[in-house]
Amino acid sequence: MNEVLLRSLTPGVLGILVRRGADFAAAEDAVQDALVEAVRAWPADPPRDPKGWLVTVAWRRFLDATRADAARRRREDRVEEEPAPGPAPAADDTLQLYFLCAHPSLTPSSAVALTLRAVGGLTTRQIAEAYLVPEATMAQRISRAKRTVSGVRFDQPGDVATVLRVLYLVFNEGYSGDVDLAAEAIRLTRQLAASIDHPETAGLLALMLLHHARRTARTAPDGSLVPLAEQDRGRWDTRAIAEGVEILQAALARERLGEFQAQAAIAALHADAPTAEETDWVQIVEWYDELARLTDSPVVRLNRAVAVGEADGPRAGLAALAALDASLPRYTAVAAYLHECDGDLATAARLYAEAARKAPNLAERDHLTRQAARLNTRGPR
């Protein structure tokens, strides 16, 4: 069963059901039932038109649920509206559905969480990790959002900022997570950038392109992580870098700086350096200062501590790190790196091992475990 195919079809199927009159919560339940049925039936009997198959099955599930609560006359009217099996419309409704999920009746954080779960295909755990909150808290937030929009007509699109936040988080999960969503996020952001004049849309597209350009160099043939400083820069996609830089420069020229443009500027400085040693860390720290001013994000300040350590020495980096909450994700890994740069190998090895136990995924855990083992055996860096 092709999980990526199912995920890519889900938004379009959900959009068709909503446009045909299903309220969002009922439509989502029906689509999930159809996906379960696809997992069971497709291996033995794959359909010629997967999307059409999902639309038909999901609509039937929606009708079945409606029949349980509706009067007989309304039930029969619904049955007459059932679509016949056959090719589904070829239009791509995904981006429209992102806007519809960013409904004005929801807070921005709830709209993002609901969209990531219902359209982006992320699990509640993945969304909770992105927001730095417990999984149970995020589950409650998503449930409240579903209740809020239950029965609401989705005819008032949400704002651009919320949709950009969703696309950013989908890209991040696709870039570092278990399911490849990064290319889909770039595709949708391109569509958005082509349809509206918004500097932060351009900034987000530039950021995605600059990060995606390094993707093939991020892992070794055995699947292990390769840190930025150790990546083979000859494997970076120079065309994507050039496009990202061009888009970023045009956005910055408008002098309406936002967080995505600032992040893209940092990524561009990394991409511009011929070698890791030639990275302009002083300018990167300046951009992190701008980004911290725009977002007041603890994660931004954590990354800034690394940049300070590179620009002004590991002691300065550790001083910047000391001002942050030690419970932040990857705090321990950053502390380990800065202690290693400062020559305190015993402390660094202990912290690498501790960070490995806290790692959010297997690849990162294995990388940190190897770092600890390397220092414990005093191998070359």
Side-chain angles (χ1 to χ4, degrees):
M1 173 57 56
N2 191 326
E3 182 181 358
V4 174
L5 172 62
L6 286 176
R7 287 178 181 273
S8 68
L9 293 175
T10 298
V13 175
L14 186 56
I16 290 172
L17 265 64
V18 170
R19 290 202 308 276
R20 286 184 172 172
D23 68 74
F24 187 84
E28 185 192 10
D29 289 342
V31 171
Q32 293 300 319
D33 287 345
L35 293 176
V36 171
E37 181 65 15
V39 171
R40 185 194 65 80
W42 286 11
D45 185 21
R48 288 190 297 270
D49 177 18
K51 184 175 181 181
W53 189 99
L54 286 171
V55 169
T56 299
V57 173
W59 185 253
R60 286 172 178 165
R61 293 293 188 274
F62 167 71
L63 292 180
D64 289 343
T66 302
R67 290 190 189 100
D69 301 319
R72 180 180 179 83
R73 184 180 183 82
R74 179 59 177 163
R75 182 173 69 235
E76 292 174 351
D77 290 342
R78 290 279 191 177
V79 170
E80 292 177 0
E81 297 171 9
E82 179 179 330
D92 182 358
D93 304 307
T94 307
L95 192 57
Q96 179 188 11
L97 197 57
Y98 271 66
F99 272 96
L100 293 178
C101 287
H103 198 272
S105 64
L106 296 172
T107 63
S109 62
S110 294
V112 170
L114 178 63
T115 311
L116 289 173
R117 182 71 185 92
V119 187
L122 274 63
T123 66
T124 303
R125 175 185 58 79
Q126 290 170 320
I127 302 170
E129 289 175 352
Y131 270 89
L132 308 180
V133 300
E135 184 174 350
T137 299
M138 184 53 65
Q140 292 175 353
R141 184 179 300 178
I142 294 172
S143 295
R144 285 196 299 270
K146 287 182 179 180
R147 288 195 298 270
T148 299
V149 300
S150 180
V152 171
R153 292 291 299 178
F154 280 73
D155 54 2
Q156 301 179 60
D159 67 349
V160 174
T162 300
V163 174
L164 291 176
R165 176 63 51 186
V166 174
L167 290 168
Y168 173 68
L169 292 173
V170 169
F171 176 81
N172 279 348
E173 188 58 43
Y175 190 66
S176 60
D178 301 325
V179 179
D180 187 355
L181 299 171
E184 174 67 359
I186 292 174
R187 184 183 71 84
L188 293 173
T189 306
R190 281 191 188 279
Q191 285 187 8
L192 188 58
S195 63
I196 65 172
D197 183 21
H198 192 292
E200 273 293 79
T201 303
L204 179 57
L205 179 57
L207 175 64
M208 289 179 174
L209 290 170
L210 289 164
H211 276 303
H212 207 60
R214 303 198 302 257
R215 185 166 190 179
T216 57
R218 292 181 69 243
T219 53
D222 62 0
S224 59
L225 291 180
V226 180
L228 176 61
E230 300 173 19
Q231 288 176 16
D232 178 359
R233 299 183 178 220
R235 297 181 62 195
W236 290 0
D237 185 342
T238 55
R239 291 180 61 183
I241 290 173
E243 181 185 5
V245 169
E246 182 180 0
I247 292 170
L248 172 63
Q249 288 174 338
L252 291 175
R254 301 176 65 177
E255 297 185 349
R256 291 168 57 192
L257 183 64
E259 63 173 298
F260 296 128
Q261 295 172 66
Q263 288 191 57
I266 293 169
L269 286 168
H270 283 297
D272 187 55
T275 66
E277 293 73 22
E278 296 174 87
T279 303
D280 188 346
W281 286 106
V282 172
Q283 194 172 169
I284 287 176
V285 171
E286 293 174 355
W287 275 111
Y288 270 122
D289 288 338
E290 288 285 349
L291 189 54
R293 179 183 61 80
L294 290 166
T295 66
D296 195 29
S297 164
V299 175
V300 168
R301 297 186 185 280
L302 182 67
N303 292 331
R304 178 186 178 277
V306 177
V308 169
E310 299 287 357
D312 301 327
R315 296 286 176 90
L318 287 167
L321 186 65
L324 304 178
D325 185 348
S327 66
L328 277 172
R330 297 184 172 87
Y331 178 101
T332 309
V334 170
Y337 174 75
L338 291 172
H339 276 290
E340 180 183 356
C341 292
D342 195 39
D344 187 353
L345 302 188
T347 299
R350 175 178 58 79
L351 290 172
Y352 276 131
E354 181 182 340
R357 293 191 292 271
K358 300 176 181 178
N361 56 65
L362 181 61
E364 190 169 334
R365 186 189 71 190
D366 289 347
H367 171 71
L368 292 167
T369 299
R370 283 194 296 271
Q371 296 294 84
R374 173 178 56 79
L375 294 185
N376 282 328
T377 58
R378 300 297 193 273
R381 186 175 172 187

